[in-house]
Amino acid sequence: MILETLFFVLFGIVYFLVWVFTADDESSDKNDQLDQLDDGMGNIIGDGEHMTREEAEDAQARGELYDTYY
């Protein structure tokens, strides 16, 4: 009984740590794409359009921001 409880607690801790570290990598990858498309004035040039960073983040969240190079 105690071993089962210890196993589930350890499993929960490992699961939480994996979740935290993988979630951070995904957001940094998204930020890297927007940083590459930044024009230096706070605007993003992507898919042949000029947009604000907020508009680019929304397009990226919808999966519409494909152009990684300009």
Side-chain angles (χ1 to χ4, degrees), residues 32-57:
D32 287 344
Q33 181 189 24
L34 293 180
D35 290 341
Q36 290 174 1
L37 298 174
D38 194 331
D39 67 355
M41 301 291 286
N43 296 315
I44 305 294
I45 303 171
D47 296 333
E49 297 180 20
H50 290 52
M51 59 188 88
T52 64
R53 186 159 187 102
E54 291 80 20
E55 291 171 331
E57 288 172 353

Side-chain angles (χ1 to χ4, degrees), residues 18-28:
V18 168
W19 176 74
V20 167
F21 287 115
T22 57
D24 186 37
D25 291 341
E26 292 172 5
S27 74
S28 69

